[in-house]
Amino acid sequence: MTPLAELQALADPAKAAEMQAYHKADRPYLGVPVPRIAELTDRWRAELTLDDRIALAAGLWRTNIHEARVAAAKLLTQARIRPDQAAWELIVTWVPDFDAWAIADHASIAGQKRLVADPERLDTVEGWVASPHMWTRRAALVMTLPWTKQNFPKTQDLAIRSRVLGWCATLASDPDWFIQKAVAWWLRDLSKHDAEATRAFLAAHGPRLKAFARKEAARHLPD
């Protein structure tokens, strides 16, 4: 049985209809929960060579089936992939296809791993900030979330934080709800590890954020 057939064998039409109504993106849904997808992709990762895994991820993504795209992302969500340039390049090709938060977030988590492995790839991501495609702009922030979470950042990590905060400043006036939410998400997570930098950003750029985003960004700041 092919990997796609394995996914299709788990289909639940009633849940598929619920998922389509929830996600609202116009694509096929199977109704397979994420934990079952993860069980399959864990096994596929163990069974396949890296080249075969990348080829499978590319093929699953091309189906446009919701669960297949989630599986494609999970196949490449791994801290250590060596060599990983082909995996990174494939993830980059997916970004223009993003059209809903769930698939975008699964693929962005795979992208996070590749950026942490090689921060020079941030040069590519920086170009996404000015994209006319909202989901591409959002991906620039979601894929860089690991730099909000370090308790003991190195000098290079602090430089990356500063760089991405500059992107957040650029996007602070973006009217799209998802972008406002992404900026707030970045700042909220940063506030748990660097409250001073978060306060400084909100003092300088907070007035350009929508009210809900300002509130979310400051949610974990100490009084």
Side-chain angles (χ1 to χ4, degrees):
M1 186 180 293
T2 67
L4 179 58
E6 288 190 73
L7 275 173
Q8 292 170 326
L10 298 173
D12 182 330
K15 289 185 179 178
E18 293 175 2
M19 290 174 63
Q20 185 163 27
Y22 176 72
H23 291 292
K24 298 182 174 63
D26 184 18
R27 61 170 40 88
Y29 294 80
L30 300 176
V32 182
V34 171
R36 295 303 304 276
I37 299 172
E39 290 173 5
L40 290 176
T41 55
D42 285 348
R43 175 166 57 79
W44 298 340
R45 275 203 305 268
E47 294 174 347
L48 297 171
T49 67
L50 176 57
D51 287 346
D52 287 344
R53 184 153 39 111
I54 291 170
L56 175 57
L60 289 171
W61 188 271
R62 285 194 298 269
T63 68
N64 195 35
I65 297 170
H66 176 86
E67 289 82 355
R69 287 194 163 183
V70 172
K74 285 189 168 297
L75 279 168
L76 301 184
T77 302
Q78 184 178 346
R80 292 188 178 183
I81 299 178
R82 294 177 181 172
D84 73 342
Q85 184 61 24
W88 167 246
E89 290 176 357
L90 179 58
I91 293 166
V92 169
T93 69
W94 292 345
V95 174
D97 295 335
F98 291 175
D99 58 2
W101 66 267
I103 289 174
D105 285 2
H106 282 292
S108 292
I109 292 170
Q112 289 174 9
K113 306 296 186 183
R114 308 280 53 83
L115 287 175
V116 171
D118 184 356
E120 289 187 7
R121 291 168 175 154
L122 288 164
D123 291 345
T124 295
V125 178
E126 187 161 31
W128 300 352
V129 177
S131 172
H133 181 230
M134 182 276 288
W135 293 102
T136 297
R137 299 196 302 277
R138 179 180 180 272
L141 299 185
V142 180
M143 285 198 193
T144 52
L145 281 170
W147 281 279
T148 68
K149 302 178 188 301
Q150 299 131 326
N151 285 318
F152 303 103
K154 298 177 182 178
T155 300
Q156 179 191 37
D157 297 320
L158 291 172
I160 291 171
R161 277 187 186 177
S162 179
R163 182 179 186 181
V164 181
L165 282 170
W167 304 353
C168 289
T170 297
L171 295 171
S173 298
D174 194 303
D176 194 283
W177 185 90
F178 277 104
I179 299 299
Q180 290 284 313
K181 182 71 173 178
V183 173
W185 184 3
W186 217 93
L187 294 168
R188 181 197 66 203
D189 283 6
L190 179 63
S191 72
K192 300 173 188 177
H193 305 276
D194 192 343
E196 182 179 349
T198 306
R199 287 188 189 280
F201 181 95
L202 289 173
H205 306 288
R208 295 191 292 117
L209 290 168
K210 293 186 182 296
F212 85 87
R214 288 197 304 273
K215 182 177 180 181
E216 178 68 11
R219 182 150 60 98
H220 296 301
L221 283 174
D223 295 331

